[in-house]
Each structure stands twice: as C-alpha cells, then as structure tokens.
C-alpha cells in the first residue's frame, strides 16, 4: 500500500462507535440500520452445548487426546495420520457426532439476525452444524472447515461421495464396521470435514471477499482466531464496519494478526471501530439482544427450537 493510500484510508476512519462496548454496538445498529452483518464464529459458541473447544487449557479437545497417542494433538485432523490410524479419528467422530447436541442461545441469536433480515453471512469454523440445526438457511452459512453433512472416499479423483448415514452406521459398529465400509467403497471414508492441509470449500473462496467488503458490522464469536485463512477475514472487513469480539479472552489482536482488533489500543486514531465483550458467548449475545430490545424475540426462538427437538 502506498503512503498516499494509507493517508486516505486514515481520513476515512471516523469514530464509528459512541462507546466501544455492547451498548455502543447496539446504538450503532439502531442508528445506521446495519443490515449486512457478517458473523465469524468458532468452537466457543458450542461449548455451552457440551462440545469442547480445541485450545482452552484443560477442557479443550487438544488437552484431552492422550488416549490416541498422537504425535501432536492436531494430527487427529490430518490425512497422513488418518491413513495410518483411522481408529483415532473415527472414535472422536463418534463422540462428537452432531446428533448428540443441541444449539445454544448464541446459535439462535445468529438465526435471529437472519430472521430480522440483517445477516449477510455466517462464516463458521465449527463442524457441528449447530447453526443449521438452529434453523439458519444453508445459503446464509459458510462452513469454512466443512461438517458432517456429507462423506467421501479419501484419495479418489474425482471424489467419490458416500451417504453420511452409511458412515455413521459403520462407525457405530466399531472397527469391524469402518473396515467393512473401507473394503466396500475401495478406500477410507471420512466426513466432509476439512483436515489440515486440505483445500477449503469452493463456497468460501467464492464468497468471502465480496461479503467482507460489503459488511456493515462484523461480529466475531467464540474463536481463538489462530487458524488461517479464517482469521484473515477479520482484517478484510470494510473499514467503515465496526467489529465486535465476544469471547472469554481477547483474540485476533492487531499485534498478532494483520488487520486484527485494535480495541486494546489507546486513543481514537488507534481504535475507531472495535469493541470487546469479555465473557461467555451466550451472555454476550443475550446482552446485545437486550440492548437492542430483542430479548423476547430471542427467547421465543430458543423456546421454539427446544419444542422442535423433543
Ligand atoms: P479454539 O479452541 O481455538 O478457540 C476457542 C475460543 O473460544 C477460545 O478463545 C476460548 O477462550 C473461547 N471460548 C470457549 N468457550 C467459550 C464460551 N462459552 N464463550 C465465549 N468464548 C469461549 O477454537 P476455534 O477458534 O474454533 O480446525 O478453532 C479453530 C480451528 O482450530 C477449528 O475449526 C479446528 C481447530 O483445529 C479444524 O477442525 C480443521
């Protein structure tokens, strides 16, 4: 970027939030009529459903994989390891199969943004499909790291699809089940989850540049923002869009991430649009819903979801 471009960019940076907190974001939404909201989310929005996140010390998945004897915790999501030792991933997939869980208030808040006609897109790193279970339409979701909606035989070109229920049944039967499926399909079958080193879904590449430059508010919920390229989306949000992080800890700071959050920096020139709510994702969205006067709408959606699932 040239020095002149940087200057112009700085001149465009008017203070967008009266206060850099939930209330400030709610006032911005009411004042500006924000209606192209982009949500970015991660495992922290599903922990209250009983699904562990990855990196929280002690409770995160990567602290609790000793039984698989992995070279590194992330190895469980690599093709190399899966080819050598499919049992570990299948065992974990059985435990984490999305049917075992229910969406959280945070998932319903994302759906509420859609119901109100304000959601441009939700980019989720989560493989649990809870956003869809909460009723978010497919076209509003980009499952950046895939999910359990489909399955395929690995190392085939073109890819050979397999019905996900076949894989589920096989995994439930244990080793005999998945070995039989492997023989029958001519190779190991895995859900359409993106392993490390695999390409992201074409849908992600097709949409993210347009969505982030069009967005008028970015909400980032429950993610450590350490995995690329997902984390780079924070820096791609339109400079005139405020950005709110709701998380138990500050993440994605500009010190670590190009174009990252600046809410921790002093002075108006340094932060003109970033806010941080430190706490649980459900509490954060309940506070935002309350500040917007949407508490009853959110409660109704949560209750309707509960009724549907019984
Ligand atoms: P992480 O486990 O890396 O980060 C979760 C973040 O959410 C942490 O900052 C937690 O402090 C925070 N958190 C946990 N529970 C929370 C709650 N109830 N409310 C608010 N915050 C909470 O998970 P991700 O950022 O999603 O990749 O991880 C990104 C990717 O790394 C995953 O998609 C996965 C993993 O390797 C693949 O599976 C390919």
């Amino acid at each position: 970027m040239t020095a002149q471009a940087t200057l112009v960019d700085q001149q465009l940076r008017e203070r967008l939030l009266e206060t850099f907190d939930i209330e400030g974001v709610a006032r911005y939404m009411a004042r500006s009529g924000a209606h192209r909201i982009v949500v970015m989310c991660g495992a922290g929005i599903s922990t209250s459903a009983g699904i562990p996140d990855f990196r929280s010390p002690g409770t995160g998945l990567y602290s609790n994989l000793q039984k698989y004897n992995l070279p590194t915790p992330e190895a469980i999501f690599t093709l190399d390891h899966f080819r050598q030792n499919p049992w570990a991933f299948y065992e974990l997939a059985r435990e984490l199969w999305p049917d075992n869980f229910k969406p959280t208030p945070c998932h319903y808040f994302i759906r509420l943004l859609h119901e109100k006609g304000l959601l441009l897109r939700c980019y989720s790193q989560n493989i649990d499909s809870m956003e869809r279970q909460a009723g978010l339409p497919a076209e509003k979701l980009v499952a950046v790291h895939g999910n359990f909606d489909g399955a395929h035989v690995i190392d085939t070109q073109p890819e050979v699809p397999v019905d996900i229920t076949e894989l589920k049944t096989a995994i439930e039967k244990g080793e005999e089940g998945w070995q039989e499926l492997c023989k029958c399909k001519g190779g190991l079958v895995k859900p359409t989850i993106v392993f490390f080193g695999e390409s992201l879904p074409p849908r992600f590449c097709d949409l993210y540049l347009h969505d982030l430059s069009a967005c008028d508010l970015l909400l980032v919920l429950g993610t450590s923002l350490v995995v690329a390229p997902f984390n780079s989306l924070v820096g791609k949000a339109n400079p005139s869009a405020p950005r709110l992080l709701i998380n138990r800890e500050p993440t994605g700071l500009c010190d670590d991430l190009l174009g990252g959050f600046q809410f921790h920096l002093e002075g108006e020139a340094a932060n003109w649009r970033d806010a941080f709510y430190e706490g649980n994702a459900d509490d954060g969205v309940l506070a935002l819903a309350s500040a917007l006067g949407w508490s009853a709408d959110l409660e109704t959606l949560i209750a309707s979801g509960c009724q549907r699932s019984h």
Side-chain angles (χ1 to χ4, degrees), residues 41-48 52-56 60-62 74 77 125-127 145 193-196 221-227 230 246-251 279-282:
C41 55
I45 73 164
S46 294
T47 52
S48 67
D53 68 6
F54 294 90
R55 295 180 180 81
S56 283
L61 194 65
Y62 291 158
E74 289 87 351
F77 295 118
Q125 294 169 103
N126 298 343
I127 55 178
H145 295 160
I193 289 169
V194 180
F195 278 8
F196 286 108
L221 313 171
T223 171
S224 61
L225 289 174
V226 294
V227 173
F230 178 89
I246 298 179
N247 204 56
R248 280 185 184 158
E249 57 187 342
T251 56
N280 289 326
D282 291 341

Side-chain angles (χ1 to χ4, degrees), residues 279-293:
N280 289 326
D282 291 341
D283 296 337
V285 299
L286 289 171
L288 182 54
S290 165
L292 289 162

